[in-house]
Amino acid sequence: MPQAQPTPSARRTAFDWTGAEARRRAEAGLVRTLRPRPAESDLLDLAGNDYLGLTRHPQVTGAAAEAARRWGAGATGSRLVTGTTRLHTTLEEELAAFCGFEAALVFSSGYTANLAALTALGGPGALIVSDAANHASIVDGCRLARAEAEVVPHADPEAVRKTLEAHEGRRALAVSDSVFSVDGDRAPLEELAAVCRAYGAGLVVDDAHGFGVLGEGGRGALHGAGLAGDEDVVATLTLSKSLGSQGGAVLGPARVIEHLVNAARTFIFDTGLAPAATGAALASLRLIAADPGLAARARAVAGTLHRTLTEAGFVSARPDAAVVSVHAPGPEEALRWAADCREQGLSVGCFRPPSVPDGISRLRLTARADLTDAEIGRAVATIVRTAPAGAR
């Protein structure tokens, strides 16, 4: 006999379950919303990652426009088909030379650069040792690499050593952010490199928050640690922070970059970075090379923000680069604090669960090289004025 069909009132559709998920998020206070911003705003922006204030620099926007006019709006295909322009290869050559590496490869985002490095250098039978505070793109890269991934306590070279020792003889990588995006603290790169070398492991470092801010003239955390260009070190970075553009890159030995061209799926099967973004990143890179003081100014602004906020009674981790965090009493207070700041003309980041573990909700401030002393004072005054009970 034919099966009885459900009545219309009992029929379920494929995505009904999303309603329950939405209710769960709402009850937990974890709803995320998109908030389009206008091209021009009176808000003082300490939430974005434009560390050197270059995203609106006339030479950068002009280079983006000229690249679009000359090369078109899109790359037209993957880098291995039609998506590689002379702009891409020039950016790669100058980026590698500036940061002190043998070669570089540009991707459509920093996220895809991390996925490429970890999946192409990992693989079945390999071991990846990952810091517990690493960025989500590293976490996803570890998951996709089909390697055994071991997560170790934050900024703990001894934990990395013990893990590598327990798997001695296996092909292995250790991976870490150079500067961690929540507290702005710096990884112990020299110690991590020494541990990796003792066990023949490679070191992969995401320098998204260090490049442009750390190292001589902004050449990055690995350059500052004396590790740039070493045969067992690979760097990834984004073009969307200090360079004020969009895209990502992997830097390392030429043989590693050649391997990525042939093995990294997010390179082989992804459309190349748009010419406008490539041209903008190249113009920014040349501005940084011509003005080493930009990196020092970003660090000085971060130091001033940290000093004045701690003097005002807030708990703030000492910034090692351009990220300044301010502890909040809890997730609800952090969210309300950020909203109150916005209402008073200041845009700040807000980190709360599930983006961070329970107990460490905070505001996240971006120290920009182009902030004036008056703007720094205005930002601090707004944070003080809107602080919730228990923040100090």
Side-chain angles (χ1 to χ4, degrees):
M1 293 181 64
Q3 294 289 326
Q5 297 298 310
T7 62
S9 61
R11 187 176 296 123
R12 298 174 62 188
T13 61
F15 302 117
D16 283 350
W17 59 271
T18 62
E21 287 294 299
R23 289 189 294 273
R24 180 187 61 78
R25 286 192 295 270
E27 290 167 359
L30 299 177
V31 176
R32 294 180 170 94
T33 57
L34 293 173
R35 185 168 49 231
R37 62 176 175 85
E40 303 292 339
S41 173
D42 292 332
L43 284 173
L44 176 57
D45 181 18
L46 268 70
N49 292 316
D50 184 20
Y51 292 137
L52 303 182
L54 296 178
T55 194
R56 290 180 180 270
H57 192 287
Q59 288 181 234
V60 175
T61 56
E66 174 57 27
R69 282 191 293 265
R70 182 177 182 188
W71 298 97
T76 76
S78 79
R79 292 284 308 275
L80 288 168
V81 184
T82 59
T84 295
T85 70
R86 183 56 191 162
L87 274 177
H88 291 94
T89 55
T90 300
L91 176 58
E92 288 163 348
E93 290 163 2
E94 294 192 19
L95 189 61
F98 179 75
C99 294
F101 285 85
E102 190 175 12
L105 191 64
V106 167
F107 290 77
S108 60
S109 72
Y111 211 109
T112 55
N114 272 339
L115 296 186
L118 293 171
T119 56
L121 299 176
L127 171 72
I128 301 178
V129 186
S130 179
D131 189 290
N134 277 339
H135 186 263
S137 58
I138 295 177
V139 174
D140 287 351
C142 291
R143 291 170 176 169
L144 291 171
R146 295 179 298 155
E148 181 179 351
E150 293 278 352
V151 178
V152 295
H154 176 50
D156 189 345
E158 178 61 16
V160 175
R161 187 197 66 76
K162 289 179 178 178
T163 304
L164 291 174
E165 183 179 49
H167 297 271
E168 193 166 4
R170 289 178 61 179
R171 178 159 58 90
L173 299 170
V175 59
S176 175
D177 285 342
S178 65
V179 177
F180 295 89
S181 61
V182 177
D183 271 335
D185 58 317
R186 186 176 172 182
L189 296 180
E190 295 92 335
E191 293 87 344
L192 287 173
V195 166
C196 287
R197 284 169 184 162
Y199 292 92
L203 177 62
V204 177
V205 177
D206 180 354
D207 204 22
H209 297 279
F211 171 65
V213 178
L214 299 178
E216 180 188 348
R219 286 172 170 79
L222 285 162
H223 190 281
L227 300 171
D230 288 356
E231 63 179 5
D232 52 359
V233 174
V234 169
T236 66
L237 51 84
T238 175
L239 313 179
S240 63
K241 294 179 172 58
S242 288
L243 294 185
S245 182
Q246 187 172 347
V250 180
L251 298 84
R255 63 180 180 177
V256 169
I257 299 305
E258 189 271 340
H259 176 70
L260 264 61
V261 169
N262 288 276
R265 293 172 66 85
T266 56
F267 180 83
I268 297 168
F269 299 106
D270 191 23
T271 297
L273 183 64
T278 310
L282 181 58
S284 289
L285 180 63
R286 290 170 175 174
L287 285 170
I288 295 172
D291 186 1
L294 284 170
R297 172 62 182 168
R299 296 195 302 270
V301 171
T304 300
L305 283 168
H306 172 260
R307 176 179 53 78
T308 52
L309 288 167
T310 53
E311 287 174 354
F314 297 103
V315 177
S316 173
R318 183 181 63 81
D320 287 328
V323 175
V324 180
S325 70
V326 185
H327 288 222
E332 293 81 10
E333 292 88 346
L335 192 62
R336 184 70 255 168
W337 197 358
D340 289 345
C341 284
R342 187 178 185 83
E343 288 176 4
Q344 298 199 25
L346 175 66
S347 178
V348 298
C350 175
F351 278 38
R352 60 194 175 102
S355 298
V356 295
D358 287 337
I360 59 170
S361 295
R362 65 205 62 211
L363 299 186
R364 180 187 181 277
L365 316 179
T366 298
R368 297 201 326 264
D370 62 336
L371 288 178
T372 66
D373 291 344
E375 287 172 328
I376 296 170
R378 173 185 160 195
V380 171
T382 302
I383 291 167
V384 171
R385 188 166 56 247
T386 57
R392 296 192 274 178

